[in-house]
């Protein structure tokens, strides 16, 4: 049995900020939801079901907050699901929402993902001291920085490639009114001059901590017919592996490679670099752009990633524009960050990305990962209905 | 001896909540000495006001002062209060429809026996003398005698945030396999377990091999010397940090283990730490040992030649 | 829709689990039981989904190491919900319905005894004006129970009848952690605890885990002679507000009942952690008097957080596999005072699965 066609017809997001002190959690979610519904030309009452996603409950100090939010989100009297799959959750949540339509169960599904990091401290929430366990001695970037070093060693990358990514994404963010960081005048030189935090990761190469939300309206084929520019879902995939396993490849995890292979197959794509017009890839630390480019099959696994980045291939006018929205490096409401990638990909193929639109984008990748690079969620969306 | 090591742990944070305009309006009222309800599109007066109307889904914008008197619509006795409830001796929670409201509102009722409560009884809101704009500024009390005078305030700045302390007490247990590992550390040994299926040695041991799901059982003591596979130099100060930067956090692949552990590298200039560097465990004085990997204070270079890249490249 | 059946089920329930909050040690033998029942290995599973709660464990990402119990090389198609097992199963059922996979294994776990459960659950409430008062689960249920008593919808005798039947049935369930029925009179003679609730009106704090295996069409028929076919699966949520709801009703349960076909149901496993909640559910589901309610003893006698709802599905499925019944309904709940409810109708034939 084949999946029922499904399309994104509404995308909404908040203005992401370090602290959105003007809104409650419900208000934050509704800001994204109302924009998505307006985009879709729908009202909350028309929605069949709602899927909520966010990262750990300790961030906001509410256990299963979707329960108290249900009424404000318009979910009262409707089915409501809550997904939580670590940092990939925004992507996983969109995929679960899509599956409600692809399974033929519902026709109009609303999905929202959010994080209100200002309610607590993410560093605390992620590393609550536990008895017997050694306290975290390296801080937030300390987990990923060694793997970046491994990548640099394995691929013989020049050490300024991370700065190229950071400068590109921060400049892309200037074209995105919703982005958290609008740092004018960021250059490769200014990134290289920023403080080295977790060597080899510099301050300007790390993501901010944001409050924000993202919402999507995903509908069935007949409903999508009323939309002037639906983003058709060509493939979705989720893959997981262990956080720590003997000899696990932490630079290019097998779950990532498997996910990409399954995704391209589903979407009927044989040469991703030629067939994908732009990608929104989860890059919380600059070096993950070249790392994921290789893992996703956009470039060869022996340094093709950094070569592509260094050549300008991932810039707005490159062969594969990556993170035209400014990406996670410019806005990081953790639970929503994955859905933002998925939503920005949809905006691109709908021709609705505004100033950061890639001309003629017809197929785009939305990508999210989480934990210690062991959870992956990805989708491909296109301006044309999938033929398979 | 129990199978597992356990110890109490408290997970606590004072959450800084931004309230948005509707909840903020309600809390502003409490601070100023009045209870505010919200009118819905269906004409109900709900306390606290709903942030969004249940029918129109629009934000609530019409507010109504209610109370301070009201009627109990349901109640329950709380014989054994839990931490942080409004009273630390038995009391009642009650649903009370305040005068002017159409829906009841949940709060604590200051009574000392269940005999003092009944459905339909009259109660009133009692305001604390010192108020901050939080739900804990008030409780219900029976409508008996004269109410204490409430100083009402005419404040200018609305309440936009509230601090909610959340402190939870748990008894944390390590898994049986982790417990064996920590017990070993308490004896100055580093004990892993071998997976019977894939033969990999896990340090610390897991309840099941992450690769194949097989429970691991065979204990293996591994070497206290190993190789740095990869690392980062921590230059940044952060909350709870114990060592002054810069210092090195590294993955150390102990000889005899098939997975690296994350630990500190000291006794060498951070700039001189290399992938492949051979290091050994430096233990704290035995008197300070406990059931923790912290018994190993840090790792330091052995001075031996670096390990060949090929011996650890598949651990990156 | 595809024909999908429950073909495997395993459970553990205990007062205090002597192990880590990740529960990996408990999950490994559970998964092994599922493999034994189905004759499969982990590589036969197309999709995995788990349910658990970080606040139950007291740490973020408590579900992350649970995948160790699966063994995840090669990597797996996997998801997680911060919900009960029953909703994890719903996500897996969806995945099968999309045609992407034919089989799924879902599991859930929780070590409720690690903290003060009734207080921890206070964190589920509206965080600005409710949680700061720390209304505990028992208190919220007590407010609901009294609302029904005052309205004349039920009385203490009806509640005691539920408790007595549950405690009696629990004697036949090895996993129930509270058992031993007596008589309605004897139960009513026991002291009040959280007036109007007596202790036997409240489920005991329970640690545990459970797993359910789903398969589509012939994959299900290969496993069992009589798979438990899912002919209806529906869930809805109500607003949380204790003041804005009619606490004697559960509109979301009523709505779920209307979305499935309950005619001819012989058995109902209702996830009612408090005695009066069974009475609410029986009314919302419109169950006939001859429907056998909670033959397992129900959640009133054993209520492992995050798996107790799914266990209801497993209990009904087991009775279909054994041909004890040909049609049954399982119910799961979440949130304070029956806020969110799911119904799963299971039958011995594929009739109604479309």
């Amino acid at each position: 049995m084949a999946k029922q066609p499904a399309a994104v017809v509404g995308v909404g997001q908040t203005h992401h900020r370090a602290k959105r002190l003007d809104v409650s959690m419900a208000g934050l979610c509704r800001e994204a939801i109302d924009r998505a519904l307006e985009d879709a030309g729908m009202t909350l009452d028309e929605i069949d079901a709602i899927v909520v996603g966010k990262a750990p409950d300790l961030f906001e100090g509410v256990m299963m907050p979707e329960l108290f939010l249900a009424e404000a989100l318009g979910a009262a009297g409707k089915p409501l699901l809550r997904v939580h799959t670590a940092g990939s959750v925004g992507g996983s949540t969109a995929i679960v929402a899509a599956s409600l339509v692809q399974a033929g169960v519902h026709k109009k599904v609303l999905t929202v993902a959010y994080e209100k990091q200002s309610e607590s401290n993410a560093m605390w929430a992620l590393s609550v001291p536990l008895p017997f366990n050694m306290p975290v001695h390296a801080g937030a970037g300390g987990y990923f920085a060694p793997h970046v070093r491994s990548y640099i060693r394995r691929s013989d990358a020049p050490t300024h490639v991370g700065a190229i990514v950071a400068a590109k994404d921060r400049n892309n963010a200037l074209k995105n009114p919703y982005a958290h960081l609008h740092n004018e005048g960021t250059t490769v030189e200014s990134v290289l001059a920023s403080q080295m935090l977790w060597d080899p990761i510099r301050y300007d190469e790390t993501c901010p901590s944001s409050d924000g939300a993202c919402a999507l309206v995903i509908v069935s084929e007949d409903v999508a017919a009323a939309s002037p520019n639906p983003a058709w879902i060509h493939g979705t995939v989720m893959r997981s592996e262990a956080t720590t396993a003997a000899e696990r490849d932490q630079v290019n995890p097998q779950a990532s490679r498997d996910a990409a292979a399954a995704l391209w197959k589903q979407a009927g794509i044989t040469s991703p670099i030629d067939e994908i017009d732009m990608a929104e890839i989860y890059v919380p630390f600059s070096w993950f752009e070249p790392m994921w480019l290789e893992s996703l099959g956009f470039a060869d696994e022996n340094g093709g990633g950094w070569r592509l980045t260094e050549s300008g291939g991932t810039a707005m006018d490159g062969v594969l524009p990556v993170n035209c929205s400014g990406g996670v490096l410019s806005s990081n409401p953790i639970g929503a960050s994955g859905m933002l990638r998925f939503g920005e990909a949809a905006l691109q193929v709908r021709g609705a990305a505004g100033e950061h639109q890639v001309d003629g984008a017809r197929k785009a990748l939305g990508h999210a990962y989480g934990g210690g690079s062991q959870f992956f969620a990805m989708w491909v969306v296109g301006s044309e209905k999938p033929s398979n | 001896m129990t199978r597992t090591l356990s110890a109490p742990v408290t997970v606590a944070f004072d959450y800084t909540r931004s309230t948005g305009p509707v909840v903020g309006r309600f809390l502003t009222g409490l601070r100023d000495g009045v209870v505010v309800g919200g009118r819905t599109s269906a004409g109900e007066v709900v306390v606290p006001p709903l942030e969004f109307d249940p029918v129109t889904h629009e934000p609530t914008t019409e507010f109504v002062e209610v109370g301070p008197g009201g009627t109990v619509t349901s109640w329950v006795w709380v014989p054994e209060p839990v931490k942080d409830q409004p009273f630390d001796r038995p009391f009642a929670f009650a649903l009370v429809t305040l005068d002017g409201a159409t829906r009841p509102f949940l709060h604590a009722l200051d009574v000392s026996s269940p005999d003092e409560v009944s459905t339909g009884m009259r109660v009133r809101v009692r305001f604390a003398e010192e108020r901050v704009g939080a739900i804990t500024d008030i409780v219900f009390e029976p409508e008996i005698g004269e109410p204490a005078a409430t100083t009402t305030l005419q404040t200018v700045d609305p309440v936009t945030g509230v601090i909610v302390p959340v402190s939870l007490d748990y008894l944390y247990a390590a898994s049986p396999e982790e417990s064996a590992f920590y017990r070993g550390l308490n004896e100055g040994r580093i004990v892993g377990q071998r997976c019977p299926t894939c033969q990999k040695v896990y340090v610390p041991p897991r309840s099941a091999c992450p690769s194949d799901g097989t429970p691991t059982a065979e204990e293996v003591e591994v070497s206290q010397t190993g190789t740095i596979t990869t690392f980062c130099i921590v230059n940044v100060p952060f909350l709870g940090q114990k060592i002054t930067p810069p210092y090195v956090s590294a993955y150390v692949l102990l000889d005899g283990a098939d997975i690296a552990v994350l630990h500190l590298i000291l006794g060498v200039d951070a700039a001189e730490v290399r992938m492949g560097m051979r290091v050994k465990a430096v233990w704290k004085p035995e008197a300070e040992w406990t059931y923790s990997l912290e018994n190993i204070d840090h790792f330091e270079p052995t001075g031996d030649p670096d390990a060949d890249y090929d011996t650890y490249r598949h651990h990156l | 829709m595809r024909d999908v059946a429950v073909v495997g089920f395993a459970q553990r329930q205990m007062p205090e689990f002597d192990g880590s909050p990740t529960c990996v040690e408990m999950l490994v033998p559970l998964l092994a039981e599922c493999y034994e029942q189905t004759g499969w290995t982990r590589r036969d599973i197309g999709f995995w989904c788990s349910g658990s709660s970080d606040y139950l464990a007291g740490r973020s990402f408590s579900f992350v190491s649970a995948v160790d119990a699966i063994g995840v090389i090669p990597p797996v198609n996997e998801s997680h919900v911060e919900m009960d097992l029953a909703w994890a199963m719903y996500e897996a059922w969806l995945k099968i319905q999309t045609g992407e996979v034919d089989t799924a294994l879902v599991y859930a776990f929780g070590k409720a005894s690690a903290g003060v459960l009734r207080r921890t659950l206070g964190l589920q409430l509206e965080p600005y004006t409710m949680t700061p008062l720390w209304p505990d689960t028992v208190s919220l249920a007590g407010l609901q129970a009294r609302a029904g008593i005052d309205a004349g919808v039920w009385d203490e005798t009806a509640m005691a009848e539920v408790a007595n039947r549950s405690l009696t049935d629990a004697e036949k369930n090895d996993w129930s952690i509270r058992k031993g029925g007596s008589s309605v009179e004897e139960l009513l003679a026991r002291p009040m605890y959280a007036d109007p609730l007596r202790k036997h009106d409240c489920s005991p704090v329970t640690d545990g885990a459970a797993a359910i295996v789903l398969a589509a069409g012939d994959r299900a028929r290969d496993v069992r002679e009589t798979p438990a076919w899912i002919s209806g699966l529906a869930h809805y949520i109500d607003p949380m507000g204790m003041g804005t709801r009619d606490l004697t009703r559960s509109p979301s349960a009523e709505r779920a009942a209307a979305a499935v076909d309950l005619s001819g149901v012989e058995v109902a496993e209702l996830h009612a952690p408090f005695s009066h909640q069974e009475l609410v559910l029986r009314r919302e589901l419109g169950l006939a008097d001859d429907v056998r309610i909670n033959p397992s003893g129900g959640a009133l006698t054993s209520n492992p957080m995050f798996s107790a709802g799914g266990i209801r599905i497993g209990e009904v499925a087991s009775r279909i596999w054994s041909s004890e019944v040909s049609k049954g309904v399982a119910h799961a709940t979440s949130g304070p005072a029956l806020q969110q409810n799911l119904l799963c109708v299971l039958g011995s034939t594929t009739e109604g699965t479309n």
Side-chain angles (χ1 to χ4, degrees), chain A residues 21 52 58 95 97 108 187-188 192 204 206 208 254 269 316 334:
Chain A
L21 300 180
V52 178
L58 272 73
I95 289 174
K108 297 172 182 171
T187 61
V188 173
L192 288 172
D204 278 355
T206 64
Q254 189 183 345
I269 287 168
M316 282 290 292
I334 301 177

Side-chain angles (χ1 to χ4, degrees), chain C:
Chain C
M1 305 299 281
R2 303 179 78 188
D3 295 335
V4 179
V6 175
V7 296
F9 170 58
Q11 63 177 315
R12 294 285 184 282
Q13 302 183 54
M14 62 200 77
E16 275 184 66
F17 172 55
D18 178 23
S20 73
T22 66
C23 297
V24 173
E25 319 93 277
M26 187 151 45
L27 289 168
V28 167
L30 270 186
L31 301 188
E33 267 184 54
C34 289
Y35 302 143
E36 196 180 325
Q37 288 176 27
T38 51
W40 297 350
T41 70
R42 64 189 163 110
R43 291 174 196 242
D44 288 297
I45 308 293
F47 181 68
W48 304 78
C49 192
S50 61
S52 69
S53 160
D54 281 352
Y55 264 115
L56 209 61
R59 60 190 293 195
S60 293
F61 299 127
S62 61
F63 62 91
V64 165
S65 41
V67 296
D68 284 7
I70 300 173
V72 282
I73 299 294
V76 291
N77 188 357
E78 189 255 358
S79 185
H80 172 264
V81 292
E82 201 86 354
M83 304 180 87
D84 183 274
L85 175 63
W87 280 271
M89 192 196 85
Y90 184 84
E91 186 178 332
W93 175 83
L94 279 178
K95 203 68 151 184
I96 295 175
Q97 290 299 345
T98 66
E100 184 177 319
V101 300
D102 297 325
T103 60
L105 194 157
V106 298
Y107 59 93
F109 57 92
K111 185 178 174 181
S113 69
V116 181
L117 179 63
R118 68 191 168 107
R119 182 171 183 273
T120 305
L121 291 174
L123 274 183
Q124 281 187 337
L125 304 172
E126 187 269 327
Y128 314 98
T129 65
M130 288 180 81
T131 296
L133 305 176
W134 293 92
D136 57 284
T137 326
V138 173
S139 293
L140 295 173
L143 290 168
Q144 183 183 34
R146 182 164 330 266
I149 292 169
D150 287 343
V153 182
W154 58 77
D155 58 21
E156 291 183 25
T157 304
M159 288 161 63
E161 280 166 359
V162 169
N164 191 46
R165 193 206 63 236
S166 301
L167 290 165
T168 305
D169 285 336
E171 288 169 32
K172 293 171 298 220
N173 182 351
D174 290 342
W175 295 116
S176 289
I177 68 165
R178 183 187 284 165
K179 49 186 87 183
S182 53
S183 69
V184 169
E185 294 70 29
E186 192 275 327
L187 291 179
L188 286 175
R190 292 184 190 175
M192 280 291 182
Y193 174 60
D195 190 342
L197 300 175
R198 293 172 174 82
K199 285 206 166 164
H200 56 250
D201 290 313
C202 315
S203 56
V205 173
T206 314
D207 294 344
I212 288 173
V213 186
L214 294 183
D218 288 341
R219 291 300 303 268
R221 292 182 192 92
D222 288 344
V223 173
R224 290 189 185 273
E225 201 168 319
T226 315
W229 298 101
I230 296 171
S231 67
L233 190 55
H235 66 100
Y236 297 95
I237 191 166
D238 296 319
M240 172 179 279
M242 295 293 287
T244 50
R245 278 195 274 166
D246 175 354
L247 294 175
T248 68
R249 302 296 306 264
S250 177
S252 55
E254 182 186 28
R255 204 176 176 116
V260 298
D261 176 11
L262 291 174
S263 63
V265 161
E266 298 157 62
V267 66
E269 279 280 344
L270 306 177
H271 184 195
F274 296 90
S275 58
H276 66 277
Q277 293 181 343
E278 180 190 304
L279 302 170
V280 176
L281 292 166
R282 273 157 57 179
R283 174 181 176 194
E284 301 300 358
L285 270 57
L287 295 176
D289 288 344
D290 60 351
V291 175
R292 184 85 169 84
I293 310 284
N294 289 346
S296 68
L300 195 57
T301 66
S302 210
N303 185 35
M305 293 302 299
F306 294 88
S307 51
I311 285 172
R312 309 275 73 76
I313 295 170
E315 286 287 347
V316 172
S318 304
R319 283 170 171 79
I320 286 170
W321 299 338
S322 68
S323 297
E324 183 185 324
V325 299
S326 58
K327 186 173 181 182
V329 62
H331 160 265
T333 197
S334 178
L338 299 175
Q339 186 193 355
Q340 188 175 24
N341 295 282
L342 175 147
L343 290 181
C344 176
V345 181
L346 297 160
S348 58
T349 69
T350 56
E351 192 186 337
T353 54
N354 294 307

Side-chain angles (χ1 to χ4, degrees), chain B residues 121-132:
Chain B
M121 79 182 277
R122 291 286 299 171
V123 297
R124 66 189 168 215
V125 172
R126 183 175 77 213
F127 287 88
E129 276 183 39
E130 299 276 328
R131 301 190 298 273
V132 296

